[in-house]
Amino acid sequence: FKQKTAYEIASCLVGSEMCIRDRLEGANLEGTKLTGALAEGTAFSQTILDAGDLTGADFTDAVIQPYVQKGLCGRKDVTGATRDSLFCP
């Protein structure tokens, strides 16, 4: 089993947004910029906590464990619509 890197993640461009439709569980996301990403329906593991920038990312219907969601909600780059999509308190 080869671990995926950020460069191997399946993605597509939809207008000006990056759209991710993949299982990113176990993918090395350290430093990955997910600025403006549409991560609809994507399954994430705790490695999403290592991502470099989540500004404007949409996690609607993403599969994220509660402890990971709590960690994401504590990030300074998780604001506005990104917070809403994560159901942050």
Side-chain angles (χ1 to χ4, degrees), residues 39-86:
E40 188 174 304
T42 303
F44 290 98
S45 66
Q46 70 274 6
T47 62
I48 188 66
L49 297 171
D50 298 326
D53 189 3
L54 300 176
T55 304
D58 183 351
F59 292 96
T60 303
D61 296 327
V63 179
I64 301 172
Q65 293 294 321
Y67 74 95
V68 176
Q69 180 246 9
K70 184 177 180 179
L72 291 172
C73 290
R75 290 177 56 135
K76 292 181 180 183
D77 58 345
V78 174
T79 60
T82 301
R83 285 186 69 77
D84 294 343
S85 72
L86 287 165

Side-chain angles (χ1 to χ4, degrees), residues 9-49:
I9 296 169
S11 64
C12 61
L13 293 178
V14 178
S16 62
E17 297 178 336
M18 181 175 80
C19 172
I20 303 169
R21 290 185 181 94
D22 202 350
R23 291 179 57 97
L24 298 181
E25 295 173 305
N28 180 3
L29 298 176
E30 185 175 348
T32 302
K33 293 183 180 181
L34 296 176
T35 307
L38 177 60
E40 188 174 304
T42 303
F44 290 98
S45 66
Q46 70 274 6
T47 62
I48 188 66
L49 297 171

